[in-house]
Amino acid sequence: MATTPQSPLGFFGTDSLLGEDDIAIRDTVRKYVEDKVKPQLAGWYESASIPARELAKELGDLGVLGMHLEGYGCTGTSATAYGLACMELEAGDSGLRSLVSVQGSLAMFAIWKHGSEEQKQEWLPRMAAGDAIGCFGLTEPDFGSNPSGMRTRAKKDGDDWVLSGNKMWITNGSVADVAVVWAQTDEGIRGFVVPTDTPGFSAPEIKQKMSLRASVTSELVLDNVRLPDSAVLPDVTGLSGPLSCLNEARFGIVFGALGAARDCLETAIAYANDRDIFDKPLSAFQLTQAKIADMSLELGKGMLLALHLGRLKDAGTLDHRQVSLGKLNNTREAIAIARECRTILGAAGITLEYPIMRHANNLESVLTYEGTSEVHQLVIGQALTGHAAYR
């Protein structure tokens, strides 16, 4: 006997754990993604292009750029609300959430947390409104998981700094108005606020990607870029600066990956209900239901973990190593859900008529950026054993 089906997260009753403001923000972002973004995504993905400036302005109007920051035109929401927004954005596409994460949690957060008042006033209001786009230059061609070995160098020349080096896999790079670039100096690693129209700066776009195709990914080339001393982020020296920003972005991924997984699962359930095989719906077979039950369980557990981390962050008690728990678990389970959902759709699952293969390909990148699964395992392992095992 057929009964009225429930949504996977609705079955867990997770809305009962959310406040009215959180739900309102989530639903507003969900409507924007459903109405304005999802109808365009297959075309953007196939053409490997995205109207980044137009989207940035719309996202600024929506209030999600730097939404968890206070002042300077930022919305000042809870961390949990920010996470829920990331979930809805990534239910559209990981590239969309990446645009917002890099803008708000990397570029804006770096200036908000470590910048001078002049830097904050110059950039944050425009970035919050989507009138200026930012990027974050940390990763290099030969230094990803070990950023302390970076080769980009900033040398003092009178009252100026001169930057030389390359950064790789930089979201928003080719469309950015400002880049937060981290470089070696005689004092240690320092951050620099670099307007992208500065002579010697260029950002060629990386092409031929099979993942994050609806996202701008670039190399940053710094060829003797001369900057005034006022370009330095004054309030931080050392690797703690960029790592503090990465922790903000990872928190958004804890929620965001679940959005991609949820979209895959809802698509697979709808397809299985509509698809008849051997004279009954595909969803009426035990093997199909076993897959759906197991995936819903992992999605729900991931959501409960994300909400718990959100509450800890809102209370100011979140340990950065706990974010590794969420990033490791939720990205790993999200890509497993995407792959399993593809099996339910069969051949249809590999086309852009459905979002599943697009999400699966994107999650290959999400699994490894902002810290690979292996690095997060080592972070957790050190927390539990007291021994660092990175070398």
Side-chain angles (χ1 to χ4, degrees):
M1 181 179 68
T3 59
T4 302
Q6 297 191 50
S7 67
L9 289 180
F11 189 47
F12 269 80
T14 51
D15 274 13
S16 65
L17 303 176
L18 303 176
E20 291 182 3
D21 289 346
D22 294 338
I23 291 174
I25 290 169
R26 180 201 65 188
D27 290 350
T28 298
V29 178
R30 180 180 296 181
K31 186 176 190 310
Y32 166 75
V33 172
E34 291 285 344
D35 294 349
K36 297 292 186 67
V37 177
K38 280 190 175 182
Q40 310 298 325
L41 277 170
W44 293 341
Y45 194 87
E46 188 166 31
S47 65
S49 63
I50 186 170
R53 290 202 168 275
E54 177 184 331
L55 284 171
K57 185 59 182 168
E58 291 176 358
L59 292 164
D61 292 342
L62 199 62
V64 299
L65 300 178
M67 61 185 285
H68 56 307
L69 306 179
E70 294 282 349
Y72 306 99
C74 301
T75 310
T77 68
S78 69
T80 301
Y82 169 62
L84 293 169
C86 286
M87 182 174 69
E88 297 306 326
L89 293 166
E90 197 148 353
D93 192 85
S94 300
L96 183 66
R97 198 265 311 140
S98 293
L99 189 161
V100 171
S101 289
V102 169
Q103 178 85 343
S105 289
L106 293 181
M108 291 178 69
F109 181 81
I111 296 170
W112 182 84
K113 179 72 172 178
H114 305 300
S116 67
E117 186 61 29
E118 178 185 0
Q119 291 166 342
K120 294 173 185 177
Q121 293 288 353
E122 180 178 3
W123 289 109
L124 292 181
R126 285 193 284 155
M127 295 174 78
D131 293 328
I133 295 176
C135 68
F136 186 86
L138 177 64
T139 299
E140 297 188 356
D142 296 321
F143 295 93
S145 295
N146 56 335
S148 62
M150 68 176 68
R151 295 194 181 106
T152 298
R153 182 80 184 171
K155 294 183 178 181
K156 209 73 165 79
D157 184 19
D159 291 333
D160 294 341
W161 290 88
V162 179
L163 273 65
S164 297
N166 297 71
K167 300 295 182 179
M168 199 69 173
W169 309 116
I170 308 303
T171 298
N172 299 346
S174 303
V175 295
D177 300 286
V178 62
V180 175
V181 176
W182 301 90
Q184 299 277 12
T185 74
D186 291 339
E187 307 163 0
I189 293 172
R190 300 298 303 269
F192 296 83
V193 179
V194 184
T196 58
D197 59 359
T198 305
F201 181 96
S202 60
E205 187 172 357
I206 297 171
K207 301 288 189 179
Q208 296 183 311
K209 297 182 299 178
M210 298 301 291
S211 179
L212 292 177
R213 290 173 60 82
S215 178
V216 175
T217 311
S218 312
E219 178 184 8
L220 303 186
V221 180
L222 300 117
D223 184 8
N224 292 317
V225 173
R226 182 174 291 273
L227 298 167
D229 192 55
S230 60
V232 180
L233 293 174
D235 291 345
V236 68
T237 301
L239 205 54
S240 63
L243 293 185
S244 68
C245 304
L246 289 174
N247 209 50
E248 291 293 309
R250 288 170 185 153
F251 174 80
I253 292 171
V254 173
F255 283 83
L258 298 178
R262 188 196 73 206
D263 194 51
C264 289
L265 184 52
E266 290 176 347
T267 299
I269 292 171
Y271 181 91
N273 279 331
D274 290 341
R275 170 73 165 167
D276 282 344
I277 184 170
F278 298 114
D279 302 320
K280 66 178 182 179
L282 178 59
S283 60
F285 287 86
Q286 290 182 357
L287 285 175
T288 304
Q289 291 193 5
K291 291 179 179 181
I292 290 171
D294 287 346
M295 290 188 288
S296 297
L297 183 60
E298 295 307 322
L299 178 67
K301 288 192 294 186
M303 186 66 183
L304 292 172
L305 173 58
L307 289 174
H308 177 60
L309 296 179
R311 297 307 182 211
L312 290 176
K313 187 168 175 58
D314 284 328
T317 59
L318 181 65
D319 186 313
H320 71 90
R321 296 169 298 181
Q322 292 172 314
V323 179
S324 288
L325 291 170
K327 206 275 184 178
L328 174 63
N329 182 79
N330 288 5
T331 56
R332 195 160 59 183
E333 296 305 326
I335 197 168
I337 288 171
R339 290 168 177 164
E340 189 77 294
C341 286
R342 210 288 302 166
T343 69
I344 293 175
L345 269 70
I350 72 168
T351 72
L352 282 172
E353 181 180 356
Y354 299 96
I356 292 175
M357 185 63 83
R358 173 170 55 79
H359 281 309
N361 281 6
N362 286 338
L363 287 167
E364 290 287 351
S365 296
V366 177
L367 187 70
T368 55
Y369 71 17
E370 314 291 357
T372 65
S373 293
E374 292 82 359
V375 166
H376 289 298
Q377 287 173 317
L378 296 179
V379 170
I380 296 165
Q382 182 179 4
L384 297 177
T385 68
H387 296 289
Y390 298 98
R391 297 180 184 274

